[in-house]
Amino acid sequence: MRNWIVIATLSLFMVVGMNACKQDFLDTQSQEKFTDDAVWSDPALVETFLNQIYFRLYEPLTDGRGTANIVDEGHYRGNSSSNLHNNSQTTQDNLYAWGYQRNLAWNELYKSIRYCNVFFSKVAEVPFTGTVVDGKTDQERMTGEAHFLRAFNYHYLLALYGGVPLVTEAYGLDSEFAVPRNSYEECIDFIVSECDKAAALLPEVHSGSNIGRVTKGAALALKSRVLLYAASDLHTPNAFISAFKKPELLGYTDNAQEERWRKAKEAAKAVIDLGLYALHKAEPAEGDSVAQNITEIFLTNNTSEDIMVKYFTQVMGQRWGLYSSPNGYYGWGVNAPVANFVDAFQMADGTPFDWNNPAHAKDPYANREPRFYATVFYNGASWRQRPADAQGLDPDNKIQTGTYQRWDAAAGRMYETYGIDTRNGPIENWNGSYTGYYCRKYVDPSVNVQYIRQSVTWRFFRYTEILLNYAEACIELGEEAEARTYINAVRKRAGLPATAATGETLRKLYRNERRLELAFEEHRYFDVRRWMIGSEAYSPAYQAKVVYPLMPNNTTATTPVVTHVKFDDRSWDNKSYFFPILRDEMNKNAKLDQNPGY
């Protein structure tokens, strides 16, 4: 098992406050925590110190839910706080609502940054061994990791708030706590510098117990993402940020967007040119199930796409499988794709799905592109064997989200029964999806989530993102032929024909490719904002109505009628392009400027 994942679980045994007592009342070394002096006099404990910063990095698998449900990917059943985000009702007083508190909070991100700063303040004291592993000494590698981790946490702050205070020293009792926000440009420059420092110090490939730690490729991938965001429309002079009293906190004040796109392109190309990564099964073989190829990426511990991953053990586990699985399998149906997202999946021939096409509307789940089948549980989708007490209700092991109209001959009337995975079904109906869909991505069919936690790998960065980053920069630079080369590589792996689109059609196709390829991977929330398409993405959400109608001969149809109908009103206010800074933070630091609209 990878070193940082295992050791991170031991973080309670170490001092992270850095002000612990040096002795206990028996004058013996504590068995439950290490003193400040002990940590920085032992490279192994320093590594453990870094491990707990890794462990704090945000990912949705552990808690089982993410930002997908506060954007146009999913719906979190019955949670009023997520509705605050979906209707632009977030304020500086309710920001701890669902989807925010899990290591994406302002104070939690700064806590991780402080740990990095503590490392830099102490690293000169550490008696590193000088042992070279994978081409780097232990001092080089750990220092590179700390630069990366500090950059990653600042990236999240910047993406959520715009410019934030750049704190590079560990605060002490005599420190000045009231500091202003740095400009967006200053924050970008700092993060890029940290990425460059990390890339110079980190190995290209780890071996042995270091597998899972950040590499040069991870540092360059973070730089690619940061510069892609920086080049996007949200951070270039526009009516929204220009109206703010300090627009430099939210973006650039010059018109050098083309230069920024050039930097974003170069950053993505630097990852590609490492030659270390490749699309998983980039060339589907004849007879391959392309949907299964795609599914493998998220259920396999290691693939050729992996740039930075988090490994899990069953002991640590994760709640994603339980939260996402259909309620007919005793799942909770939390990460339920909305029908708007389902409609974005193309047909197998690469043409758009269209409800106005009679053939599409008659059988909306037939002949869709392979990513649809790898991402979404829909009515009639085959799945694992039902739990023992449900097998008699569904001997075919197919998802049931439909309503069945039946005839009661004795009473002379029609009545309805409900599929096992509906909110009216016989198993945990309070946990059913409201959308008529469930998320299949990351759900391991070999695990009975009712009793066992999953341990699938989370990918902070994978190669497909880098190819799409590169393609987007090319589109914005007018280099459309180059962009199509990389988009078509992704489409080919997805079992789709190449595109020859140009102009605005190509940009829209690219954005849809990114939406589908990176679905439920914590990208869409940020993409909607940096593209400034909030009003489009936060339109009303739709659900599937699946009905097996009563036939004229009073038998129930074997083929359902499926329609998409509105079920959840959502709305948008431009203030939601950025989070508000919590009132508590504003009260503690009088030099902070609040974001517009709050």
Side-chain angles (χ1 to χ4, degrees):
M1 177 47 59
R2 277 58 180 176
N3 204 28
W4 74 265
I5 294 300
V6 174
I7 297 180
T9 64
L10 305 178
S11 61
L12 73 163
F13 295 115
M14 60 174 290
V15 172
V16 295
M18 296 292 95
N19 291 310
C21 295
K22 299 287 195 293
Q23 291 180 313
D24 65 17
F25 74 101
L26 293 176
D27 197 29
T28 59
Q29 176 68 49
S30 169
Q31 298 301 301
E32 294 186 348
K33 58 187 177 181
F34 297 102
T35 66
D36 187 40
D37 289 343
V39 169
W40 303 107
S41 63
D42 185 344
L45 293 181
V46 174
E47 186 169 78
T48 303
F49 180 81
L50 289 172
N51 290 343
Q52 59 95 25
I53 309 176
Y54 275 103
F55 195 63
R56 292 173 54 80
L57 291 177
Y58 169 72
E59 44 78 17
L61 297 188
T62 297
D63 277 356
R65 54 193 175 181
T67 59
N69 297 331
I70 51 174
V71 73
D72 59 348
E73 286 182 325
H75 173 264
Y76 180 35
R77 52 151 186 81
N79 189 285
S80 59
S81 54
S82 64
N83 292 334
L84 296 175
H85 293 274
N86 287 329
N87 289 282
S88 296
Q89 295 174 359
T90 301
T91 71
Q92 60 266 48
D93 296 308
N94 67 17
L95 193 53
Y96 278 115
W98 180 90
Y100 172 71
Q101 66 269 38
R102 298 175 315 284
N103 291 346
L104 276 186
W106 172 288
N107 61 317
E108 292 298 326
L109 290 167
Y110 269 112
K111 186 182 291 185
S112 291
I113 289 167
R114 180 176 185 274
Y115 294 156
C116 294
N117 291 341
V118 168
F119 172 91
F120 289 118
S121 73
K122 298 287 188 178
V123 65
E125 304 173 14
V126 181
F128 288 106
T129 65
T131 302
V132 176
V133 177
D134 301 316
K136 298 294 182 179
T137 66
D138 52 354
Q139 181 175 2
E140 288 174 323
R141 191 255 300 166
M142 289 190 218
T143 304
E145 290 177 49
H147 281 297
F148 173 90
L149 292 165
R150 186 161 65 175
F152 205 179
N153 282 284
Y154 267 120
H155 158 65
Y156 275 124
L157 281 167
L158 192 63
L160 293 169
Y161 298 98
V164 295
L166 289 174
V167 180
T168 58
E169 296 181 358
Y171 279 152
L173 294 177
D174 298 325
S175 298
E176 175 56 57
F177 295 101
V179 291
R181 297 168 64 177
N182 286 79
S183 71
Y184 183 85
E185 182 174 7
E186 289 171 336
C187 291
I188 287 290
D189 289 346
F190 176 77
I191 295 170
V192 167
S193 174
E194 289 288 277
C195 290
D196 288 340
K197 291 174 182 177
L201 292 167
L202 292 167
E204 290 189 349
V205 178
H206 281 300
S207 62
S209 62
N210 283 338
I211 294 175
R213 294 184 177 280
V214 294
T215 59
K216 178 177 182 178
L220 295 179
L222 175 57
K223 180 178 177 180
S224 169
R225 187 183 294 177
V226 167
L227 289 176
L228 184 83
Y229 285 21
S232 300
D233 287 348
L234 179 60
H235 304 295
T236 292
N238 58 68
F240 173 66
I241 67 171
S242 295
F244 185 41
K245 61 182 178 180
K246 292 187 176 180
E248 69 276 8
L249 296 181
L250 305 182
Y252 292 89
T253 55
D254 60 45
N255 291 306
Q257 189 177 22
E258 181 177 345
E259 179 185 345
R260 291 190 283 277
W261 281 120
R262 185 72 57 190
K263 290 180 179 179
K265 177 187 173 183
E266 292 168 353
K269 193 63 162 59
V271 182
I272 296 169
D273 287 346
L274 288 175
L276 297 172
Y277 313 107
L279 291 174
H280 177 69
K281 295 188 176 180
E283 304 274 348
E286 186 175 350
D288 269 6
S289 167
V290 178
Q292 182 58 34
N293 290 351
I294 295 168
T295 299
E296 286 173 5
I297 299 172
F298 307 101
L299 299 183
T300 305
N301 274 352
N302 302 287
T303 76
S304 60
E305 294 201 27
D306 299 349
I307 298 177
M308 180 185 174
V309 303
K310 178 177 181 178
Y311 298 94
F312 290 80
T313 68
Q314 289 268 314
V315 175
M316 293 169 57
Q318 52 201 214
R319 298 174 70 84
W320 184 271
L322 176 64
Y323 275 41
S324 301
S325 294
N327 59 325
Y329 288 89
Y330 290 96
W332 293 5
V334 166
N335 301 299
V338 292
N340 317 51
F341 167 70
V342 170
D343 287 345
F345 285 95
Q346 300 152 86
M347 302 302 293
D349 63 2
T351 58
F353 173 83
D354 185 359
W355 282 105
N356 293 316
N357 182 317
H360 294 183
K362 183 178 181 181
D363 195 356
Y365 306 139
N367 301 314
R368 301 294 286 272
E369 61 158 292
R371 286 179 298 202
F372 169 71
Y373 302 105
T375 308
V376 178
F377 283 127
Y378 56 92
N379 185 71
S382 296
W383 189 231
R384 66 188 297 269
Q385 188 177 50
R386 293 280 181 180
D389 60 348
Q391 289 173 17
L393 300 172
D394 175 26
D396 297 325
N397 302 312
K398 291 187 175 182
I399 304 301
Q400 298 180 7
T401 60
T403 298
Y404 301 81
Q405 296 181 350
R406 305 191 187 280
W407 181 253
D408 184 338
R413 63 178 179 83
M414 186 267 289
Y415 68 101
E416 294 180 333
T417 61
Y418 303 96
I420 193 173
D421 300 300
T422 68
R423 290 188 60 79
N424 292 308
I427 297 180
E428 295 194 354
N429 53 9
W430 63 91
N431 274 332
S433 161
Y434 280 89
T435 72
Y437 298 106
Y438 293 89
C439 184
R440 184 168 189 163
K441 199 169 188 174
Y442 296 112
V443 180
D444 187 346
S446 70
V447 176
N448 183 348
V449 297
Q450 184 181 3
Y451 302 109
I452 302 171
R453 290 196 177 193
Q454 291 189 166
S455 58
V456 300
T457 299
W458 172 255
R459 288 163 175 84
F460 291 103
F461 296 95
R462 66 181 178 100
Y463 189 54
T464 307
E465 178 197 344
I466 302 303
L467 299 184
L468 292 172
N469 291 355
Y470 184 78
E472 181 173 345
C474 288
I475 289 171
E476 300 303 333
L477 289 168
E479 300 169 5
E480 293 186 347
E482 182 82 347
R484 285 193 296 270
T485 296
Y486 288 84
I487 294 171
N488 285 332
V490 175
R491 286 174 65 84
K492 185 173 185 178
R493 192 271 297 283
L496 290 169
T499 181
T502 61
E504 187 59 28
T505 301
L506 178 61
R507 179 181 285 109
K508 289 181 178 179
L509 180 142
Y510 161 80
R511 290 184 176 184
N512 197 56
E513 285 293 317
R514 187 176 177 96
R515 179 183 188 183
L516 302 178
E517 179 68 32
L518 302 179
F520 291 89
E521 295 183 52
E522 297 298 302
H523 290 277
R524 181 67 175 173
Y525 180 86
F526 298 102
D527 287 346
V528 162
R529 283 154 175 77
R530 66 186 183 84
W531 292 333
M532 299 191 75
I533 58 170
S535 58
E536 171 189 329
Y538 286 83
S539 57
Y542 282 69
Q543 65 183 174
K545 288 291 187 183
V546 180
V547 178
Y548 291 82
L550 192 68
M551 305 295 286
N553 63 357
N554 288 338
T555 62
T556 301
T558 57
T559 300
V561 174
V562 181
T563 55
H564 281 176
V565 299
K566 186 178 79 169
F567 83 103
D568 186 29
D569 282 315
R570 296 183 177 185
S571 60
W572 178 256
D573 187 308
N574 282 343
K575 70 177 184 179
S576 295
Y577 282 124
F578 298 93
F579 269 0
I581 301 172
L582 281 168
R583 188 180 301 277
D584 285 351
E585 300 297 332
M586 298 292 294
N587 289 340
K588 287 186 288 187
N589 182 357
K591 292 186 179 181
L592 289 177
D593 289 286
Q594 182 60 276
N595 277 331
Y598 300 102

